[in-house]
């Protein structure tokens, strides 16, 4: 009767959360991950700086001015307009040629 009144608590490994146990590989993992991160950051920074430096040396050597983004956009826009104009000119010439052929045929039939 005393045993029936006492609560029973059961523990099993599936109910417990085991914290990570430190071992000797943990400092190595931290060092390798942080070095990888720094290598990525510094490599990207170096890549950007080298690209800018080579572009400035190239422009100094050739004497060309680097185009601003707005100038590049204007140039693309002018290119597109020129292409559209040439397409419309070709269509107008084709229409004019068919119109002259039709009028010539009508005159011949009269």
């Amino acid at each position: 009767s005393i045993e029936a009144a006492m609560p029973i608590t059961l523990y099993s490994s599936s109910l417990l959360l085991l914290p990570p146990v430190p071992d000797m590989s943990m400092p190595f993992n931290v060092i390798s991950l942080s070095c990888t991160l720094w290598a990525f950051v510094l490599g990207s920074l170096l890549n950007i700086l080298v690209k800018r430096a080579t572009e400035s040396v190239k422009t100094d050597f050739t004497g060309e001015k680097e185009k601003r983004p707005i100038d590049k956009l204007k140039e693309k826009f002018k290119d597109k307009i020129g292409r559209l104009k040439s397409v419309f000119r070709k269509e107008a010439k084709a229409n004019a040629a068919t119109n002259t052929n039709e009028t010539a045929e009508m005159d011949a039939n009269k």
Side-chain angles (χ1 to χ4, degrees):
S1 69
I2 295 178
E3 288 178 8
M6 299 268 303
I8 297 175
T9 306
L10 293 176
Y11 294 100
S12 70
S13 62
S14 64
L15 295 176
L16 293 176
L17 294 175
L18 299 174
V21 179
D23 60 352
M24 292 309 292
S25 70
M26 282 186 145
F28 171 77
N29 293 341
V30 170
I31 291 170
S32 62
L33 285 173
S34 60
C35 287
T36 302
L37 177 69
W38 276 107
F40 178 73
V41 168
L42 293 176
S44 299
L45 182 67
L46 182 67
N47 188 17
I48 291 170
L49 291 174
V50 166
K51 277 186 182 178
R52 285 189 183 170
T54 54
E55 286 176 4
S56 68
V57 168
K58 183 174 125 182
T59 56
D60 290 345
F61 184 70
T62 59
E64 295 177 355
K65 272 191 167 181
E66 188 174 341
K67 293 182 181 177
R68 296 179 303 166
I70 189 72
D71 294 334
K72 291 178 184 177
L73 189 63
K74 284 180 184 177
E75 189 175 306
K76 283 184 182 180
F77 187 70
K78 285 180 183 178
D79 246 5
K80 297 277 185 186
I81 296 296
R83 287 182 192 165
L84 283 174
K85 283 182 180 179
S86 66
V87 167
F88 286 129
R89 284 182 191 143
K90 286 179 185 177
E91 286 180 6
K93 285 181 183 178
N95 287 339
T98 56
N99 287 341
T100 55
N101 288 340
E102 288 174 1
T103 54
E105 288 175 7
M106 292 176 118
D107 291 339
N109 290 335
K110 285 183 182 179

